[in-house]
Short mmCIF file of all heavy atoms in Angstrom, two decimals:
data_model
loop_
_atom_site.label_atom_id
_atom_site.label_comp_id
_atom_site.label_asym_id
_atom_site.label_seq_id
_atom_site.Cartn_x
_atom_site.Cartn_y
_atom_site.Cartn_z
N VAL A 1 18.77 -7.12 27.31
CA VAL A 1 18.24 -6.87 28.65
C VAL A 1 17.00 -5.99 28.55
O VAL A 1 15.98 -6.26 29.19
CB VAL A 1 19.30 -6.24 29.57
CG1 VAL A 1 18.71 -5.95 30.95
CG2 VAL A 1 20.53 -7.13 29.69
N ARG A 2 17.05 -4.95 27.74
CA ARG A 2 15.90 -4.04 27.58
C ARG A 2 14.65 -4.78 27.09
O ARG A 2 13.53 -4.44 27.47
CB ARG A 2 16.22 -2.92 26.60
CG ARG A 2 17.04 -1.82 27.19
CD ARG A 2 17.18 -0.68 26.16
NE ARG A 2 18.00 0.38 26.68
CZ ARG A 2 17.60 1.35 27.48
NH1 ARG A 2 16.34 1.39 27.88
NH2 ARG A 2 18.43 2.28 27.90
N GLU A 3 14.86 -5.79 26.25
CA GLU A 3 13.72 -6.54 25.70
C GLU A 3 13.04 -7.42 26.74
O GLU A 3 11.91 -7.85 26.53
CB GLU A 3 14.18 -7.39 24.52
CG GLU A 3 14.58 -6.57 23.32
CD GLU A 3 15.19 -7.41 22.21
OE1 GLU A 3 15.19 -8.66 22.31
OE2 GLU A 3 15.68 -6.81 21.24
N LEU A 4 13.70 -7.67 27.86
CA LEU A 4 13.16 -8.57 28.89
C LEU A 4 12.29 -7.87 29.92
O LEU A 4 11.72 -8.54 30.79
CB LEU A 4 14.31 -9.28 29.61
CG LEU A 4 15.15 -10.23 28.79
CD1 LEU A 4 16.32 -10.74 29.60
CD2 LEU A 4 14.29 -11.39 28.30
N CYS A 5 12.20 -6.54 29.88
CA CYS A 5 11.52 -5.83 30.95
C CYS A 5 10.91 -4.52 30.44
O CYS A 5 11.16 -4.12 29.31
CB CYS A 5 12.50 -5.52 32.09
SG CYS A 5 13.87 -4.47 31.58
N THR A 6 10.16 -3.89 31.32
CA THR A 6 9.62 -2.58 30.99
C THR A 6 10.72 -1.52 31.15
O THR A 6 11.75 -1.78 31.79
CB THR A 6 8.44 -2.22 31.92
OG1 THR A 6 8.94 -2.07 33.25
CG2 THR A 6 7.34 -3.27 31.87
N GLU A 7 10.50 -0.36 30.63
CA GLU A 7 11.49 0.72 30.75
C GLU A 7 11.70 1.13 32.20
O GLU A 7 12.82 1.37 32.64
CB GLU A 7 11.08 1.93 29.91
CG GLU A 7 12.14 3.02 29.85
CD GLU A 7 13.47 2.59 29.25
OE1 GLU A 7 13.49 1.71 28.37
OE2 GLU A 7 14.52 3.14 29.68
N ALA A 8 10.62 1.19 32.97
CA ALA A 8 10.74 1.56 34.38
C ALA A 8 11.57 0.54 35.15
O ALA A 8 12.42 0.90 35.97
CB ALA A 8 9.35 1.70 35.01
N VAL A 9 11.34 -0.74 34.89
CA VAL A 9 12.12 -1.79 35.56
C VAL A 9 13.58 -1.73 35.12
O VAL A 9 14.48 -1.90 35.93
CB VAL A 9 11.50 -3.18 35.30
CG1 VAL A 9 12.42 -4.30 35.76
CG2 VAL A 9 10.14 -3.30 35.98
N PHE A 10 13.82 -1.46 33.84
CA PHE A 10 15.19 -1.33 33.36
C PHE A 10 15.93 -0.22 34.12
O PHE A 10 17.05 -0.42 34.58
CB PHE A 10 15.22 -1.04 31.85
CG PHE A 10 16.60 -0.98 31.28
CD1 PHE A 10 17.25 -2.13 30.88
CD2 PHE A 10 17.25 0.23 31.14
CE1 PHE A 10 18.54 -2.09 30.37
CE2 PHE A 10 18.54 0.30 30.63
CZ PHE A 10 19.18 -0.86 30.24
N GLU A 11 15.28 0.91 34.28
CA GLU A 11 15.90 2.03 35.00
C GLU A 11 16.17 1.68 36.46
O GLU A 11 17.21 2.02 37.00
CB GLU A 11 15.01 3.28 34.89
CG GLU A 11 15.00 3.86 33.50
CD GLU A 11 14.00 4.98 33.31
OE1 GLU A 11 13.40 5.43 34.32
OE2 GLU A 11 13.79 5.40 32.16
N ARG A 12 15.24 0.97 37.11
CA ARG A 12 15.45 0.55 38.50
C ARG A 12 16.60 -0.46 38.57
O ARG A 12 17.39 -0.43 39.51
CB ARG A 12 14.16 -0.05 39.08
CG ARG A 12 13.06 0.95 39.26
CD ARG A 12 13.34 1.97 40.35
NE ARG A 12 13.34 1.31 41.64
CZ ARG A 12 14.15 1.60 42.64
NH1 ARG A 12 15.03 2.57 42.52
NH2 ARG A 12 14.09 0.95 43.77
N GLY A 13 16.69 -1.34 37.60
CA GLY A 13 17.79 -2.29 37.55
C GLY A 13 19.13 -1.58 37.42
O GLY A 13 20.11 -1.95 38.08
N GLU A 14 19.17 -0.54 36.59
CA GLU A 14 20.39 0.27 36.47
C GLU A 14 20.75 0.89 37.82
O GLU A 14 21.92 0.90 38.21
CB GLU A 14 20.21 1.39 35.43
CG GLU A 14 20.23 0.92 34.01
CD GLU A 14 20.05 2.09 33.05
OE1 GLU A 14 19.12 2.91 33.24
OE2 GLU A 14 20.86 2.19 32.12
N ASP A 15 19.74 1.41 38.52
CA ASP A 15 19.97 2.01 39.84
C ASP A 15 20.52 0.98 40.82
O ASP A 15 21.46 1.26 41.57
CB ASP A 15 18.68 2.61 40.41
CG ASP A 15 18.20 3.84 39.66
OD1 ASP A 15 19.01 4.44 38.91
OD2 ASP A 15 17.02 4.20 39.82
N TYR A 16 19.95 -0.22 40.81
CA TYR A 16 20.42 -1.28 41.71
C TYR A 16 21.87 -1.64 41.41
O TYR A 16 22.66 -1.84 42.33
CB TYR A 16 19.52 -2.52 41.60
CG TYR A 16 18.37 -2.51 42.58
CD1 TYR A 16 17.53 -1.40 42.70
CD2 TYR A 16 18.13 -3.60 43.39
CE1 TYR A 16 16.49 -1.39 43.60
CE2 TYR A 16 17.08 -3.60 44.29
CZ TYR A 16 16.27 -2.50 44.40
OH TYR A 16 15.25 -2.50 45.31
N LEU A 17 22.22 -1.72 40.15
CA LEU A 17 23.60 -2.00 39.77
C LEU A 17 24.52 -0.88 40.24
O LEU A 17 25.55 -1.12 40.88
CB LEU A 17 23.72 -2.20 38.25
CG LEU A 17 25.12 -2.42 37.72
CD1 LEU A 17 25.74 -3.70 38.28
CD2 LEU A 17 25.10 -2.47 36.20
N ASP A 18 24.14 0.36 39.95
CA ASP A 18 24.96 1.52 40.32
C ASP A 18 25.11 1.66 41.84
O ASP A 18 26.14 2.13 42.32
CB ASP A 18 24.37 2.81 39.75
CG ASP A 18 24.44 2.87 38.23
OD1 ASP A 18 25.22 2.10 37.62
OD2 ASP A 18 23.70 3.69 37.65
N ASP A 19 24.08 1.24 42.59
CA ASP A 19 24.11 1.33 44.04
C ASP A 19 24.88 0.19 44.70
O ASP A 19 24.99 0.13 45.92
CB ASP A 19 22.69 1.36 44.62
CG ASP A 19 21.94 2.65 44.28
OD1 ASP A 19 22.58 3.62 43.85
OD2 ASP A 19 20.70 2.66 44.45
N GLY A 20 25.37 -0.75 43.90
CA GLY A 20 26.14 -1.87 44.45
C GLY A 20 25.29 -2.87 45.22
O GLY A 20 25.75 -3.45 46.20
N ARG A 21 24.07 -3.10 44.79
CA ARG A 21 23.16 -3.99 45.52
C ARG A 21 23.37 -5.47 45.22
O ARG A 21 22.74 -6.32 45.84
CB ARG A 21 21.72 -3.60 45.25
CG ARG A 21 21.37 -2.26 45.87
CD ARG A 21 19.93 -1.92 45.55
NE ARG A 21 19.52 -0.68 46.14
CZ ARG A 21 18.64 -0.60 47.13
NH1 ARG A 21 18.10 -1.67 47.64
NH2 ARG A 21 18.30 0.57 47.61
N ILE A 22 24.24 -5.80 44.26
CA ILE A 22 24.53 -7.20 43.99
C ILE A 22 25.53 -7.67 45.05
O ILE A 22 26.66 -7.20 45.10
CB ILE A 22 25.09 -7.40 42.57
CG1 ILE A 22 24.06 -6.93 41.54
CG2 ILE A 22 25.48 -8.86 42.35
CD1 ILE A 22 24.59 -6.87 40.12
N SER A 23 25.07 -8.59 45.90
CA SER A 23 25.89 -8.99 47.05
C SER A 23 26.71 -10.25 46.77
O SER A 23 27.68 -10.51 47.46
CB SER A 23 25.00 -9.22 48.27
OG SER A 23 24.07 -10.25 48.02
N GLN A 24 26.34 -11.01 45.80
CA GLN A 24 27.02 -12.26 45.47
C GLN A 24 26.75 -12.56 44.02
O GLN A 24 25.66 -12.33 43.52
CB GLN A 24 26.49 -13.38 46.38
CG GLN A 24 27.00 -14.77 46.09
CD GLN A 24 26.16 -15.53 45.09
OE1 GLN A 24 24.96 -15.35 44.98
NE2 GLN A 24 26.80 -16.38 44.31
N LEU A 25 27.77 -13.05 43.30
CA LEU A 25 27.61 -13.39 41.89
C LEU A 25 28.55 -14.53 41.57
O LEU A 25 29.76 -14.44 41.81
CB LEU A 25 27.94 -12.17 41.03
CG LEU A 25 27.75 -12.30 39.52
CD1 LEU A 25 26.27 -12.44 39.19
CD2 LEU A 25 28.32 -11.09 38.81
N SER A 26 28.00 -15.63 41.06
CA SER A 26 28.80 -16.80 40.69
C SER A 26 28.32 -17.32 39.35
O SER A 26 27.12 -17.25 39.04
CB SER A 26 28.66 -17.92 41.72
OG SER A 26 29.10 -17.49 42.98
N ARG A 27 29.26 -17.87 38.59
CA ARG A 27 28.92 -18.44 37.29
C ARG A 27 29.45 -19.87 37.22
O ARG A 27 30.62 -20.12 37.53
CB ARG A 27 29.54 -17.61 36.18
CG ARG A 27 29.32 -18.21 34.81
CD ARG A 27 29.95 -17.35 33.73
NE ARG A 27 30.10 -18.14 32.53
CZ ARG A 27 31.11 -18.09 31.71
NH1 ARG A 27 32.09 -17.25 31.95
NH2 ARG A 27 31.16 -18.85 30.66
N PHE A 28 28.57 -20.78 36.83
CA PHE A 28 28.93 -22.18 36.62
C PHE A 28 28.44 -22.54 35.23
O PHE A 28 27.25 -22.79 35.04
CB PHE A 28 28.29 -23.07 37.68
CG PHE A 28 28.72 -22.70 39.08
CD1 PHE A 28 27.98 -21.81 39.84
CD2 PHE A 28 29.88 -23.24 39.61
CE1 PHE A 28 28.39 -21.46 41.11
CE2 PHE A 28 30.30 -22.89 40.88
CZ PHE A 28 29.56 -22.00 41.64
N GLY A 29 29.35 -22.52 34.25
CA GLY A 29 28.96 -22.73 32.86
C GLY A 29 28.09 -21.57 32.41
O GLY A 29 28.48 -20.41 32.52
N ASP A 30 26.89 -21.89 31.93
CA ASP A 30 25.97 -20.86 31.46
C ASP A 30 24.95 -20.45 32.52
O ASP A 30 24.01 -19.72 32.23
CB ASP A 30 25.23 -21.34 30.22
CG ASP A 30 26.14 -21.43 29.01
OD1 ASP A 30 27.02 -20.56 28.87
OD2 ASP A 30 25.97 -22.37 28.21
N THR A 31 25.13 -20.95 33.75
CA THR A 31 24.21 -20.61 34.84
C THR A 31 24.87 -19.62 35.79
O THR A 31 26.00 -19.83 36.23
CB THR A 31 23.81 -21.88 35.61
OG1 THR A 31 23.21 -22.81 34.70
CG2 THR A 31 22.83 -21.55 36.72
N VAL A 32 24.15 -18.55 36.08
CA VAL A 32 24.63 -17.52 36.99
C VAL A 32 23.69 -17.50 38.20
O VAL A 32 22.47 -17.49 38.04
CB VAL A 32 24.65 -16.14 36.31
CG1 VAL A 32 24.98 -15.04 37.30
CG2 VAL A 32 25.63 -16.13 35.15
N THR A 33 24.27 -17.52 39.39
CA THR A 33 23.49 -17.34 40.61
C THR A 33 23.95 -16.03 41.24
O THR A 33 25.10 -15.63 41.11
CB THR A 33 23.69 -18.50 41.61
OG1 THR A 33 25.06 -18.60 41.95
CG2 THR A 33 23.19 -19.81 41.02
N ALA A 34 23.02 -15.38 41.90
CA ALA A 34 23.35 -14.08 42.49
C ALA A 34 22.46 -13.80 43.68
O ALA A 34 21.37 -14.37 43.82
CB ALA A 34 23.18 -12.97 41.45
N GLY A 35 22.93 -12.90 44.51
CA GLY A 35 22.14 -12.34 45.59
C GLY A 35 22.05 -10.84 45.35
O GLY A 35 23.05 -10.20 45.00
N VAL A 36 20.87 -10.31 45.49
CA VAL A 36 20.65 -8.87 45.30
C VAL A 36 19.87 -8.36 46.50
O VAL A 36 18.88 -8.96 46.91
CB VAL A 36 19.88 -8.58 44.00
CG1 VAL A 36 19.63 -7.09 43.84
CG2 VAL A 36 20.63 -9.12 42.78
N VAL A 37 20.33 -7.25 47.06
CA VAL A 37 19.67 -6.68 48.23
C VAL A 37 18.67 -5.64 47.76
O VAL A 37 19.02 -4.63 47.15
CB VAL A 37 20.71 -6.05 49.19
CG1 VAL A 37 20.01 -5.43 50.38
CG2 VAL A 37 21.73 -7.09 49.63
N GLY A 38 17.41 -5.91 48.06
CA GLY A 38 16.33 -4.96 47.80
C GLY A 38 15.77 -4.55 49.15
O GLY A 38 16.52 -4.20 50.06
#
């Protein structure tokens, strides 16, 4: 995950996860769909 983004974006992503901003998450095989509230 760290390799896919800048350090600042990684930290914001951690904040979004910790704040419970993922509103929907589904997995179909290797495909994941999600809703995130920004």
Side-chain angles (χ1 to χ4, degrees):
V1 178
R2 280 186 182 277
E3 291 173 7
L4 294 174
C5 61
T6 66
E7 187 60 31
V9 169
F10 183 85
E11 290 173 9
R12 292 291 293 143
E14 285 181 311
D15 291 343
Y16 269 51
L17 177 62
D18 293 343
D19 291 346
R21 291 179 178 249
I22 299 171
S23 61
Q24 175 271 329
L25 183 68
S26 300
R27 175 180 162 218
F28 300 92
D30 290 323
T31 302
V32 173
T33 59
V36 178
V37 179

